[in-house]
Amino acid sequence: MRRLLGYGRALIVTAVEVEQSTVLAGLGIGEQAPDALEAGAPVVVAACGVGPAAAAAVTSQFLTVAAQQGAPFDVVLSAGIAGGFAGRVEIGGLVVGTESIAADLGADGPDGFQSVDELGFGASRHEADPALLRMLRQSLPEAVGGPVLTVSTVTGTGHAKELVEKRHPDAVAEAMEGFGVATAARLWPTTAFGEIRTISNAVGPRDRATWRIPQALSTLRDAFATLSGH
């Protein structure tokens, strides 16, 4: 298996198995060997489960095991499908995250939502590694760049969408794992982090009839085929 973007080892973290198998197909791998991590494979694709907690836990596990084996990962990508903000990215489109933001990590109250940054309790943003981001943008020039929100509850009403857009006017997509993956990756200073998303639906009122998951998965497969040179 060839290396990804010239990095020695790459870990790609998805939420669910259909995303994992789609990424593997894009990389030209029909099925990942069960011992890919232990064997020191140059690219490992892991399905972590849904949400930032699962994403952080599984990413940390993979990074720790790899380091203990003397073959640490040089790059970690959070990848999968997402909701996109209308007018900023089209359904079926591709997004490269400039930063991953924990959009609902904070406190709500009479004066509105306050992030953990505003409360003084920590950070709700992790920027993508600049060198990795530059390579992703060069390799995927059709991708829309911008912040990707991480939420534990998907935005599903018009009112909720308005509130999110008011707080994050430059966000391009909303998903559920990026900030968790980034939080784990940041524990390893030599590991670059990035996020790639493809758009299956518009953020806002929940209407499954308008979702285009197969189209988003096709875009995801094509993106990783491009990144791997297939």
Side-chain angles (χ1 to χ4, degrees), residues 137-219:
R137 297 297 300 273
Q138 291 173 346
S139 300
L140 303 168
E142 74 279 18
V144 175
V148 178
L149 307 183
T150 298
V151 295
S152 294
T153 301
V154 171
T155 302
T157 67
H159 177 64
K161 175 177 178 276
E162 290 176 4
L163 293 177
V164 169
E165 287 187 309
K166 184 177 180 179
R167 293 201 301 267
H168 304 284
D170 56 348
V172 294
E174 175 186 273
M176 303 182 76
E177 292 80 32
F179 184 81
V181 176
T183 298
R186 287 305 173 92
L187 298 176
W188 304 86
T190 60
T191 300
F193 165 78
E195 183 166 7
I196 296 175
R197 293 287 171 179
T198 58
I199 306 305
S200 60
N201 59 280
V203 175
R206 190 172 175 83
D207 180 6
R208 292 182 67 94
T210 65
W211 293 7
R212 299 294 181 265
I213 292 177
Q215 184 179 356
L217 291 173
S218 177
T219 303

Side-chain angles (χ1 to χ4, degrees), residues 46-125:
C48 66
V50 175
V58 172
T59 302
S60 290
Q61 179 187 32
F62 272 73
L63 292 174
T64 300
V65 170
Q68 290 174 340
Q69 293 171 342
F73 288 105
D74 303 294
V75 61
V76 178
L77 287 174
S78 176
I81 64 175
F85 287 93
R88 302 172 197 171
V89 61
E90 300 294 328
I91 292 177
L94 176 64
V95 164
V96 171
T98 57
E99 60 180 331
S100 299
I101 302 173
D104 54 8
L105 183 60
D108 205 359
D111 297 325
F113 179 84
Q114 290 182 287
S115 69
V116 291
D117 310 71
E118 295 168 321
L119 294 168
F121 295 156
S124 61
R125 296 169 178 260

Side-chain angles (χ1 to χ4, degrees), residues 2-7 27 75 77 94-96 130-145 195-196 219-230:
R2 70 182 66 187
R3 302 186 189 281
L4 192 70
L5 294 173
Y7 285 94
L27 295 170
V75 61
L77 287 174
L94 176 64
V95 164
V96 171
L132 173 60
L133 178 60
R134 184 166 55 252
M135 285 190 285
L136 290 173
R137 297 297 300 273
Q138 291 173 346
S139 300
L140 303 168
E142 74 279 18
V144 175
E195 183 166 7
I196 296 175
T219 303
L220 185 67
R221 182 190 64 238
D222 292 347
F224 277 94
T226 298
L227 293 177
S228 62
H230 283 88

